[in-house]
């Protein structure tokens, strides 16, 4: 539940931040008449994301077990790819997001109302589809309970509230640091989802090694114990892990974490001092 709460919070805060920046900019440039178009695009994006989540949840239910595992494993791997791209993109763009959105909105305003709807749809829809896919993959990995959905809903509600407070100027968040630390957490979570996706493909018979265990600590960490449930819910930890799952987890987490930490926690480039003014000496006229 905690993992899904943080995923909902991070993804929801990205979407809320985008919307608040767009709304504030339209108000600032005196184009309140385009606010309905902006909110229409946001509403369509939310509807499409919810429909995508429902399709993922109930779509494969009538398929065979092997087909469900094959689809679940494939989508889990796709989700990890998307979330990894999002982590690096946001870690790099956090400090430039506002200027980038202003530039794109200027172009949309110049093009007309439909362009504003489309821009809002694409900006928020991308976050919504990524969130739906990753939350679904996380829920599949942690079990078919309502806890992942509840955690994600609480995270999204928190993000909406934080976005409104930021828009009103009531709170300030160091976005660079926020996205850096949540990115570190999500790399570990994504590693667990990736390992679970590999396990699904093993159960579907598409990958070998289902019976070759790297370790089995079920006696020490019972899956039904409170700490076993906690580790499963947050990090997708499986007490009985195959060699292929373990290899994939290490091969993903170690290089991804190293690259992300180097990028996200690097000191921002120092501003170059302005060049000193060179005094202009008036020419001396000959006597």
């Amino acid at each position: 539940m905690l993992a899904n709460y943080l995923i909902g919070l991070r993804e929801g805060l990205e979407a809320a931040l985008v919307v608040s920046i767009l709304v504030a900019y339209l108000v600032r440039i005196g184009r309140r008449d385009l606010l309905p178009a902006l909110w229409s695009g946001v509403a369509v994006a939310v509807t499409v994301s919810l429909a995508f989540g429902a399709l993922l949840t109930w779509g494969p239910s009538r398929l065979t077990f092997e087909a469900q595992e094959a689809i679940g494993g494939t989508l889990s791997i796709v989700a990890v790819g998307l979330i990894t791209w999002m982590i690096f993109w946001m870690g790099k763009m956090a400090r430039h997001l506002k200027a980038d959105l202003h530039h794109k909105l200027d172009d949309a305003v110049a093009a007309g109302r439909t362009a504003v709807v489309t821009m809002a749809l694409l900006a928020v829809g991308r976050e919504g589809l990524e969130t739906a896919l990753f939350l679904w993959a996380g829920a599949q990995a942690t079990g078919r309970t309502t806890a992942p959905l509840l955690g994600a809903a609480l995270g999204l509600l928190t993000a909406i509230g934080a976005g409104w407070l930021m828009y009103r100027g009531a709170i300030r968040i160091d976005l660079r640091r926020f996205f850096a630390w949540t990115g570190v957490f999500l790399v570990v979570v994504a590693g667990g989802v990736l390992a679970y996706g590999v396990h699904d493909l093993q159960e579907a018979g598409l990958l070998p090694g289902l019976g070759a265990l790297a370790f089995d600590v079920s006696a020490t960490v019972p899956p039904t114990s409170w700490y076993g449930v906690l580790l499963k819910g947050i990090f997708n930890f499986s007490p009985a892990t195959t060699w292929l799952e373990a290899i994939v987890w290490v091969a993903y987490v170690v290089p991804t974490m190293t690259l992300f930490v180097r990028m996200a926690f690097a000191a921002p480039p120092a501003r170059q001092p302005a060049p000193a003014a060179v005094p202009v000496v008036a020419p001396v006229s000959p006597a």
Side-chain angles (χ1 to χ4, degrees):
M1 181 172 176
L2 177 60
N4 287 278
Y5 173 81
L6 290 176
I7 293 170
L9 175 62
R10 180 192 167 99
E11 295 293 289
L13 189 59
E14 283 188 34
L17 182 63
V18 168
V19 173
S20 64
I21 289 173
L22 296 178
V23 169
Y25 190 61
L26 285 178
V27 171
R28 196 180 81 185
I29 65 175
R31 295 303 307 267
R32 290 178 178 269
D33 58 301
L34 292 176
L35 286 177
L38 177 69
W39 287 114
S40 297
V42 172
V44 173
V46 171
T47 302
V48 171
S49 300
L50 291 174
F52 181 58
L55 178 64
L56 290 174
T57 302
W58 290 292
S61 59
R62 295 182 180 274
L63 300 177
T64 64
F65 172 78
E66 289 76 12
Q68 290 185 40
E69 296 300 289
I71 292 174
T74 302
L75 289 179
S76 294
I77 295 172
V78 171
V80 171
L82 287 175
I83 205 71
T84 304
W85 173 83
M86 180 273 297
I87 291 170
F88 279 91
W89 182 84
M90 200 62 192
K92 182 179 180 180
M93 292 296 297
R95 65 173 69 98
H96 308 298
L97 181 62
K98 188 174 183 179
D100 184 60
L101 287 173
H102 285 178
H103 176 70
K104 290 180 179 178
L105 188 56
D106 282 334
D107 293 340
V109 169
R113 189 176 301 270
T114 302
V116 173
V117 174
T118 303
M119 181 193 171
L121 170 62
L122 294 177
V124 179
R126 178 179 62 84
E127 302 294 342
L129 294 176
E130 287 177 358
T131 303
L133 181 56
F134 199 63
L135 287 175
W136 175 84
Q140 292 292 110
T142 55
R144 297 177 181 274
T145 66
T146 58
L149 181 60
L150 178 60
L154 291 175
L156 290 172
L157 289 175
T158 304
I160 292 172
W164 183 81
L165 290 174
M166 284 192 295
Y167 172 75
R168 302 296 297 179
I171 61 171
R172 292 185 180 275
I173 298 176
D174 186 340
L175 294 175
R176 182 171 176 269
R177 181 165 298 182
F178 171 81
F179 288 120
W181 283 108
T182 54
V184 167
F185 176 80
L186 284 181
V187 169
V188 180
V189 173
V193 172
L194 180 60
Y196 183 83
V198 168
H199 183 78
D200 273 354
L201 294 179
Q202 287 179 311
E203 289 191 327
L206 299 178
L207 290 178
L210 182 60
L213 296 181
F215 59 84
D216 187 352
V217 294
S218 301
T220 306
V221 187
T224 56
S225 64
W226 67 267
Y227 46 91
V229 173
L230 188 65
L231 288 172
K232 182 70 172 177
I234 297 177
F235 300 111
N236 297 305
F237 173 76
S238 175
T241 298
T242 66
W243 275 107
L244 187 56
E245 289 178 73
I247 291 171
V248 166
W249 189 92
V250 173
Y252 170 81
V253 171
V254 173
T256 304
M257 184 71 77
T258 302
L259 292 173
F260 179 75
V261 168
R262 286 180 178 178
M263 181 201 71
F265 292 93
R271 292 186 177 181
Q272 296 294 329
V278 179
V280 179
V281 179
V284 179
S285 58

